[in-house]
Amino acid sequence: MHQEITLSWLTAAFARDGYICGEEILIPVYLALRLEKPLLITGAPGVGKTEVAKVLSRVLDTELIRLQCYEGLDENKALYEWNYQKQLLMIELSRQGCARGEEQPDLFSEEYLLERPLLKALRHPRRPVLLIDEIDKSDQEFEAFLFEVLSDFQVSIPELGTIKARQVPVVVLTSNGDRELSDGLKRRCLFLYIDYPDVDKETRIIRTKVPEAGEVLARQVAAAVNRIRADLDLRKKPAIAETIDWARALVLMEARALEPNLLRRTLNLLFKDQEDVETFNRELGVEELCRQVINGA
Amino acid sequence: MPASYQRGVTLEANLVYFIQLLRRLGLRISTAETLTALEALQEIPLDREGMVRAALQAALVKDGARVALFHQAWAHFFHPDGEQEAGSGPQLSPAGNSPPETPEPEQELLFRGRPLELPASAREIYRQLTPEIRERLQQFVRASEAGAPDDERFRPLMASLVSGQLNYWGRQLAEEQALVDPWQGTEMDASLAQIVAAADQDTGLLWADLKELARADPELVIRVIRRLVRRLAGVLARRYHPTRKKRVISWRPSIRRNLQYGGLPLRLIYRARRVKKPRLLLLADVSGSMARYAAFVMEFIYGLGQVVGGVEAFVFAEDFQRVTPLLDKKLGPVELQDSLMSATPTWGAGTRLDLALAGILKDYPALFQKNTVIVIISDTKTLQVPAAAAALKAWRRRVKDILWLNTLRREEWGRWQSVAALRPYCRMFPCRSLGQLEIILREYL
């Protein structure tokens, strides 16, 4: 990472990579890089939280190290583990070797250490991007352990001593808000809440990700999704990922503009819950949505 | 402390004022976060308002649900007159582009063409005065000039007279500032109310006084409460945690861990146990003094019943009524309230907490388990306070926890004997908005 990080450089780099965002997203990312603080990103599923880390690794031209969190994740799987099969083999071999008078091997040397994502990120020779994805899925104990690592960027391995980060990694944590994160973790991070985009921004996103969709279709798709989000109380609102999938499907169906029939046939790309489909049909309906979007667009 | 941005004050001071405002709005901001905010401001151009706002948001707001409130607080603090956000920044620092003109007594209080020699404290008071009062003082000096003898020895006397007047206005200013000190009361409360009112509908409802919910769109209220309760359901659904109560060895990690000791089981790893979700027992006061909150109570019971299974709910006034069977019928909140009102003849009457507590314990003893958490919504105003306290004590011994959501302001608690009597047997929190309710339940449930 030789490039000095400036705001204008970061803005241009994100734009080059096709990540459409305003300063409300760029500034926290920029500050996280400059202040070397972890960035905690929250927001509904599918709004582009994980993508921020991926884009960062590309624009910084560095490795993305991903730790996917889940219930039961512990430090063995996140930090390091001893390669006990190899150790057992070595014990067996050394028994035979000792009989021949050879020196006993050190079973707790780096040779037997299995790096897991956190340790790998700390020992990486270049400043990597460490993505700790869906931290809200992990247990509270793991979260407590994690914020110790994130505050000092060092870990202690009893057999090896303290290992300090060679380079402070760029840490991106994401959360879908399944559970409340501890104050300790939040305090150590800069915070970025990614909301659903407005119609203009979503149109630009569609145009970038699905260039085959024309300006008219892209705007109508963005307006329709925006209206669905705003008007209906859904269990799972369609996110940007769903919008893009929907736009791709419409392009595949050679649509040039929204029509009730097309909308009806592609509804399942927007809604991931049968109750939501029923809510949509009951409270808005395809004809009404198309009418509103076409009149408003 | 001011409730809006102050020109001529340091960046740090304005930041601290703004953070105080955010804290009053329920955002928890630590000193470490304040320092991070200051560091963040060093990294971005201060003349770009959007950037400054985004930087402070990143450093100070750690909850997506508070972002809208932060934006509203920003607008209130930095644009108190409703001026539109321009490209230029909010001028956090005194070195802004157009510093306000400061009135100088040396230029305005001229006696026979020369400034009066006033002490520094008097000059400072003069700078803080309104233009009208400054004009009055200038007129006083001009009038005195006309009537005074043409003698330079009169100048110190004149300066002394003006200083006296300025000291008087200084005392007035101090009293006014004490009165309008927003942290003490009215002005800040008004500020908070303005911010909440101007926030988007959902955020506004979240921080509005609970008694105002009856006036709001019921659909919207239900939506906000459902969202709140869904978040709470997430908290309740925490599934695992390690425990020492019943230790079951987890063999595989234990063997791995103890390889380093040559296979001797020196450090055992225990299995995590499934956490039992707390059994919720909700007890809501529907007596006359709580009538203003009835709409909220019904919406909350309804929302909780919809999202969290196995909730037991009761309402009470002079008598109590079990709500759970009605929740199971999946009635809407309005139908629920109608059914309850017809089933509870004492709805809106006086309060006999002691009878309700004793009656529920007697009739439904199976509800009182070691994992039961009681949530009581009431203003504590009841007859027979000692008996109510004794009954609550009996409840406390049988359950895991009792959370009391008190609709009285905390400042009023000292005036009520009932609060003092009941508080030792429960954890009591002021609860005057859905936002406060959410924070309490999220942290303590």
Side-chain angles (χ1 to χ4, degrees), chain B residues 351-359 382-389 391:
Chain B
T351 317
R352 285 295 302 271
L353 180 63
D354 56 322
L355 296 182
L357 296 181
T382 179
L383 299 171
Q384 302 296 332
V385 172

Side-chain angles (χ1 to χ4, degrees), chain B residues 197-326:
Chain B
D200 65 71
Q201 273 188 319
D202 287 9
T203 309
L205 268 185
L206 203 58
W207 296 99
D209 197 309
L210 289 176
K211 62 178 183 286
E212 304 297 330
L213 294 190
R215 286 189 226 155
D217 175 5
E219 290 290 325
L220 198 61
V221 174
I222 292 170
R223 205 166 78 183
V224 171
I225 290 181
R226 269 198 199 175
R227 202 168 301 148
L228 184 155
V229 171
R230 259 185 223 147
R231 282 211 290 269
L232 285 179
V235 176
L236 290 173
R238 281 189 304 240
R239 282 152 287 192
Y240 288 95
H241 81 157
T243 177
R244 290 193 175 84
K245 283 185 182 165
K246 187 178 178 184
R247 297 190 133 193
V248 179
I249 294 171
S250 183
W251 286 107
R252 191 180 159 87
S254 293
I255 290 170
R256 277 192 196 174
R257 171 71 61 87
N258 289 289
L259 275 175
Q260 59 186 295
Y261 307 117
L264 289 173
L266 294 181
R267 292 171 68 188
L268 297 178
I269 311 286
Y270 296 93
R271 273 188 197 164
R273 276 186 72 209
R274 188 172 284 275
V275 173
K276 281 187 181 171
K277 290 180 194 174
R279 294 161 63 109
L280 276 185
L281 195 159
L282 189 64
L283 184 60
D285 186 346
V286 293
S287 63
S289 64
M290 287 286 291
R292 292 179 302 172
Y293 299 97
F296 152 70
V297 168
M298 281 304 106
E299 306 288 6
F300 183 62
I301 293 176
Y302 175 74
L304 207 60
Q306 289 281 301
V307 178
V308 184
V311 175
E312 278 289 343
F314 293 84
V315 293
F316 73 96
E318 286 177 351
D319 199 357
F320 69 91
Q321 177 69 36
R322 189 164 173 243
V323 186
T324 318
L326 297 174

